[in-house]
Amino acid sequence: MTALTLSTSSAASLRADAVVVGVAKGPKGPVIAPGAEAVDKAFGGKLATVLETLGATGAEGEVTKLPAASGLKAPVVLAVGLGEAPAKGDGFDAEALRRAAGAAARALAGSKKGAFALPVEDAGDAAAVAEGALLGAYAYDKGNSNGNGAKSGKDAKDSKGDKDKKNNGPLAEVALLGGKPRDKAFKAAAERATALVAEVNRARDLINTPSNVLDPATFAAAAVTAAKEHGLKTEVLDEKALAKGGYGGILGVGQGSDAPPRLVRIAYTHPKAEKTLALVGKGITYDSGGISLKPAGHNETMKCDMSGAAAVFATVVAAAKLGLRVNITGWLALAENMPSGSATRPGDVLSMYSGKTVEVLNTDAEGRLVLADALTRACEEKPDAIVDVATLTGAMVLALGNRTFGIMSNDDAFRTALHEIADEAGEASWPMPLPADLRKSIESPVADLANMGERMGGGLVAGIFLKEFVEDGIAWGHLDIAGPAFNDSGPFGYTPKGGTGSAVRTLVRLAERTADGDLG
């Protein structure tokens, strides 16, 4: 993990590889953001002019490097765009600070220390800058001998691959200027950011791991190992236990693979908790589509189809690290969806854990099948609320794009709360309906339900299917993260290429709100 320190030093006096300052878009050109006063003074009050001469505008994510002026201990000044300058008297919003800090941290890859002199008026601003910088300072170590693992901070400097300038390790240390190391609120913000980002990065690592390395059994083993480290309880159902228990959805999806499925229960409990959350994650470690094989061009990134399970796993560990006063049970529905002589065929009927039967019309609509079994099992423990997370449908990507996840629920107030919580966490989301008229489309002449319905509104149809497996009286939310879970284009802000760790921050914030009694 990249080191994070709070510093009261001046941006001019702190020794670092670079000092990071913010620049915003003003009505007449770039303006220097608060926090950079000492750096601007070293340039004779002309830093904005110099940056404008170099082409800087202050646009969001824009990065401009220039040699430091005399009087600065750091040899380089890195100016990062914050977007539009706020109205007089207003500060920059948290997400603008996160994204700017993340862009700066990415630009400083390979450096030992960056001094971040971005606008920090209070602990909330410090939290945003810390989160953004640490999230941006992520790199997946594809050269690791076991094919898995991100390195950051001190460990990254020892990597042989980092000798290649094209594969620099991440920024080793973030010094947050304007932080108050003796202030309880600032210390708490830094500690939370460190714990939270470590778990987002855990999810990213899992998502980025090749499918021939991470199968259901190895994913389950990783959960057991982490549970031992953090005092969590685990239960792992292998293929024999799944068969004995009647988990027809998980077994039906996984039966075409040589790597058998697993259902993992990983639980964190607090002795003073008054509420319990259940989180269910789709964990398809590779999705070929099964017999309904995906076409060429749609298979290459399907190692990411376990992003929901990765997010749930990471959230439970984060709750333990933060000592949240809430009980959280995570359910990881793990399988590999492959075509073979033993694979489920279109037209087959599966007997689910709930007792309902499902006609499989398309084996590539497999995520809802493993989630259905896990949702039913989770409901048996009577949680106060349940949220499932899944890279579930391409239809949701068509509806909301690559950076926004959809939220569905059986409770309008809970759906609204989840939307607000995602916004607080800095994750783009949008509430979606569950139209009653679409329910008819998943009727089957040979089973209780079909796993496919109308093509138009396919993301909503999937949500309606899942709702059938949630017990009445339990508030349920469904996050379809198919768009933002994996970034196969270039990095931006604090978001890397590859696995993003989508929904972890939202779920952790949900846990915090629940612990504080803010959800009723």
Side-chain angles (χ1 to χ4, degrees):
M1 187 72 193
T2 295
L4 172 67
T5 56
L6 300 177
S7 176
T8 56
S9 298
S10 164
S13 63
L14 189 67
R15 294 186 181 279
D17 294 282
V19 58
V20 177
V21 299
V23 57
K25 293 181 69 174
K28 297 182 180 180
V31 294
I32 303 304
E37 292 83 0
V39 178
D40 190 31
K41 183 177 179 181
F43 280 85
K46 301 291 186 181
L47 180 55
T49 301
V50 173
L51 289 170
E52 186 172 24
T53 301
L54 294 173
T57 66
E60 181 183 306
E62 178 184 75
V63 171
T64 306
K65 289 184 180 181
L66 65 158
S70 61
L72 298 178
K73 294 296 185 182
V76 173
V77 172
L78 188 153
V80 62
L82 287 159
E84 296 290 339
K88 188 175 181 180
D90 294 338
F92 290 92
D93 67 52
E95 186 61 8
L97 294 176
R98 284 191 200 97
R99 291 176 179 174
R106 288 192 297 103
L108 291 176
S111 300
K112 294 181 179 179
K113 185 175 183 177
F116 283 66
L118 293 172
V120 174
E121 296 182 4
D122 54 29
D125 290 342
V129 174
E131 283 180 31
L134 295 178
L135 286 167
Y138 169 85
Y140 179 68
D141 183 12
K142 61 185 177 183
N144 194 318
S145 61
N146 69 2
N148 182 26
K151 288 191 176 183
S152 58
K154 181 179 180 298
D155 292 340
K157 294 184 290 184
D158 299 327
S159 174
K160 293 181 180 180
D162 293 342
K163 292 180 180 180
D164 183 348
K165 294 296 183 181
K166 294 181 179 179
N167 293 298
N168 284 331
L171 174 64
E173 181 182 348
V174 171
L176 180 55
L177 304 185
K180 301 175 182 178
R182 296 184 180 180
D183 184 285
K184 289 184 179 180
F186 279 82
K187 287 176 64 177
E191 290 170 359
R192 179 187 183 277
T194 299
L196 175 64
V197 175
E199 293 314 308
V200 172
N201 287 349
R202 181 193 298 274
R204 289 170 170 179
D205 284 355
L206 288 165
I207 297 163
N208 288 326
T209 302
S211 298
N212 63 320
V213 176
L214 187 74
D215 62 17
T218 53
F219 195 137
V224 171
T225 298
K228 291 178 180 178
E229 180 182 354
H230 297 286
L232 307 172
K233 292 183 178 180
T234 54
E235 178 186 4
V236 179
L237 301 184
D238 62 14
E239 65 272 31
K240 292 181 180 179
L242 290 169
K244 184 177 180 180
Y247 294 86
I250 297 174
L251 286 168
V253 172
Q255 71 187 41
S257 173
D258 289 337
R262 297 286 187 271
L263 177 62
V264 178
R265 179 186 187 273
I266 180 168
Y268 160 74
T269 58
H270 190 285
K272 296 183 179 180
E274 296 179 356
K275 297 286 186 179
T276 297
L277 287 175
L279 306 177
V280 176
K282 173 187 173 183
I284 305 300
T285 57
Y286 183 76
D287 182 18
S288 69
I291 297 297
S292 305
L293 193 67
K294 291 179 183 291
H298 291 76
N299 281 300
E300 291 76 6
T301 60
M302 281 299 102
K303 65 181 182 181
C304 78
D305 211 22
M306 35 58 68
S307 296
V312 167
F313 174 21
T315 299
V316 178
V317 178
K321 285 184 174 181
L322 295 170
L324 301 182
R325 191 171 172 172
V326 62
N327 296 329
I328 303 182
T329 303
W331 299 89
L332 317 180
L334 308 174
E336 184 176 67
N337 187 24
M338 297 291 283
S340 73
S342 61
T344 294
R345 296 154 295 225
D348 285 358
V349 174
L350 303 178
S351 295
M352 311 295 283
Y353 179 71
S354 67
K356 293 180 179 180
T357 55
V358 175
E359 181 185 11
V360 179
L361 298 180
N362 187 328
T363 64
D364 196 23
E366 84 299 329
R368 64 200 71 183
L369 298 174
V370 300
L371 287 175
D373 275 355
L375 282 167
T376 303
R377 179 66 183 86
C379 286
E380 289 181 345
E381 298 187 357
K382 309 297 182 183
D384 293 288
I386 185 167
V387 177
D388 74 72
V389 192
T391 47
L392 204 61
T393 65
M396 196 57 58
V397 185
L398 290 174
L400 299 178
N402 291 316
R403 299 190 184 184
T404 303
F405 61 76
I407 303 174
M408 283 157 264
S409 179
N410 61 355
D411 183 301
D412 289 348
F414 190 49
R415 183 184 63 186
T416 298
L418 288 171
H419 185 211
E420 292 173 349
I421 286 167
D423 187 59
E424 288 177 17
E427 296 197 282
S429 68
W430 197 251
M432 304 292 283
L434 293 174
D437 62 285
L438 291 177
R439 170 62 178 80
K440 185 174 178 61
S441 72
I442 57 172
E443 292 181 358
S444 166
V446 296
D448 295 317
L449 298 166
N451 78 328
M452 290 290 289
E454 288 188 26
R455 180 170 176 267
M456 299 303 172
L460 311 183
V461 171
I464 290 168
F465 179 90
L466 294 177
K467 183 175 178 287
E468 294 287 320
F469 297 89
V470 178
E471 186 176 314
D472 290 342
I474 298 178
W476 159 74
H478 163 54
L479 310 184
D480 190 335
I481 61 171
F486 196 85
N487 174 27
D488 57 6
S489 58
F492 57 92
Y494 52 75
T495 303
K497 185 171 183 177
T500 66
S502 177
V504 174
R505 290 184 290 148
T506 295
L507 294 178
V508 171
R509 188 71 191 112
L510 169 64
E512 290 172 330
R513 288 268 299 264
T514 305
D516 293 339
D518 290 346
L519 288 179

